[in-house]
Amino acid sequence: MSLKVGVLASGAGSNLQALIDQVHGRDGIEIVAVGSDKPDAQALKRAGTAGIASRVFETSAFGDNRGARDLAMADWLSGLGVDLVVLAGYMQLVSPPFLEAFENRVINVHPALLPAFPGLDAVGQALAYGVKVFGVTIHFVDAGVDSGPIILQRAVELPGARTREQVFAVLHELEHQLLPEVVHMFGTGRVSIDEVDGRQVVITA
Ligand code: GRF
């Protein structure tokens, strides 16, 4: 089995790096594309170092038309044979035509235990609420905000955490375990969505 992965990232790209280090080139899994909305994203440099094709898709280059930008991005990824798209710190919503092009093949990593704290600044939201348990969710992307079927979650008790830095120090480590784990599951054909309710994600052993 082979799996070609495209990663979209806006920032530091530490999750991209975890994928490069842990799954790229193993068990038929290959990261073939890294796209970004930000020309200065460190993720692009990481792609270059790993010899992975990369491209910038700034909305301004498409007359501020998000749909047109996303279609160009989908064309580029399809042209490279991408089977699975991973949003790894990609700070844009992807529009419906993109999701149609990659139906049930776009996943995201979110730094909270969904459905709690979707959207921006999830960790800030959780801190403001005063939760004692934080966590990470890897989920399918649908047309809503962090609302797609959940693939994998892991929780961590941090009763004394008060700052984003304290929480992210732990959550980043969790993300860097979970995301490669999930991509490996896709690479070995173990992930499917229950056809009856369209909501339960089934992971086979
Ligand atoms: C991660 O914390 C992820 O949960 C969120 O954005 C951050 C990206 O970090 N969606 P990095 O760019 O992978 O270092």
Side-chain angles (χ1 to χ4, degrees):
M1 204 179 158
S2 83
L3 184 80
K4 290 190 176 171
V5 180
V7 178
L8 302 182
S10 303
S14 69
N15 281 285
L16 167 65
Q17 193 64 49
L19 291 174
I20 292 171
D21 295 343
Q22 297 178 50
V23 295
H24 183 49
R26 291 188 199 172
D27 296 327
I29 301 170
E30 211 192 327
I31 303 171
V32 296
V34 173
S36 184
D37 55 320
K38 298 264 184 295
D40 56 351
Q42 209 197 321
L44 295 168
K45 293 200 188 77
R46 296 182 194 267
T49 305
I52 299 167
S54 67
R55 193 174 284 187
V56 178
F57 292 87
E58 282 185 285
T59 321
S60 57
F62 296 88
D64 284 327
N65 182 334
R66 235 166 33 89
R69 176 202 64 191
D70 285 2
L71 274 182
M73 205 158 60
D75 279 352
W76 180 63
L77 294 169
S78 298
L80 290 170
V82 165
D83 304 300
L84 177 73
V85 178
V86 179
L87 309 187
Y90 184 59
M91 301 310 285
Q92 301 275 330
L93 292 176
V94 284
S95 47
F98 185 96
L99 294 173
E100 277 156 29
F102 290 96
E103 198 185 352
N104 290 339
R105 293 186 296 142
V106 185
I107 65 171
N108 180 45
V109 52
H110 185 73
L113 293 172
L114 293 169
F117 314 123
L120 291 175
D121 194 19
V123 170
Q125 294 180 53
L127 282 166
Y129 199 92
V131 303
K132 306 297 182 201
V133 179
F134 296 76
V136 169
T137 303
I138 316 285
H139 64 94
F140 282 100
V141 175
D142 65 9
V145 177
D146 298 323
S147 56
I150 290 171
I151 304 167
L152 202 64
Q153 292 186 298
R154 206 154 290 166
V156 58
E157 289 187 32
L158 296 171
R162 294 291 177 270
T163 67
R164 290 176 178 78
E165 291 68 31
Q166 287 169 330
V167 178
F168 267 119
V170 178
L171 290 194
H172 270 140
E173 238 174 84
L174 267 192
E175 291 181 346
H176 300 163
Q177 291 167 15
L178 255 59
L179 191 57
E181 215 175 287
V182 168
V183 171
H184 191 262
M185 286 173 185
F186 274 95
T188 46
R190 295 169 51 212
V191 186
S192 57
I193 303 180
D194 186 296
E195 281 169 21
V196 178
D197 74 355
R199 186 72 212 177
Q200 304 297 324
V201 175
V202 182
I203 312 280
T204 47

